[in-house]
Amino acid sequence: MEWYEIALIVAGGLFLIFSVGSSFFGDMDLDSDVELDGGFLLSDFISFKGLLHFALGFSLTLTLWQEVTVVSVGVGVVAGLVFVGVLYYLYKMIHSKLQKSMTYAQEIKDMDAEVYFWSEEQKIGEVFVVLEGRPVTVTLQKAEGLSFTKGQKIKVSGSRQLVYPII
């Protein structure tokens, strides 16, 4: 087995692990910074994912070529760079489609919440509410005459920044 075949197996395996892992367990990003919302950044290409994509394209080309020559290495470098660019723009397109389909609730009405923190002296605290499918902490205020304990389930209404208990 040649070195480029081993590189293809390792790069392909890591690519599958990160792709499947991020699908099931959230973002397993090892990049220093990937800015999918903004424009092009060099750090988006020179990153762990970028190097992994390059290795995948480069080693796949050499494996298909079945020999290491100046021409095959040159074609492999170009193929690796194409893999990096295509996969970057594919990730960017998927990210923008997900952002467009995501709706953000600005108003919270009669939502179940769990008390995370409560200050008896200040009559202010924080609760967990589920927004866009994930738990988010929101400030709980104006609870005169009420007392809460951590973990207590209550109903709240308000906005993303400030909610009030419903009695």
Side-chain angles (χ1 to χ4, degrees), residues 11-31:
L14 287 173
F15 180 74
L16 282 174
I17 288 170
F18 285 112
S19 297
V20 171
S22 64
S23 297
F24 289 111
F25 304 110
D27 198 14
M28 295 175 56
D29 205 4
L30 296 178
D31 294 343

Side-chain angles (χ1 to χ4, degrees), residues 88 126 153 165:
Y88 169 76
E126 290 186 345
K153 307 284 188 217

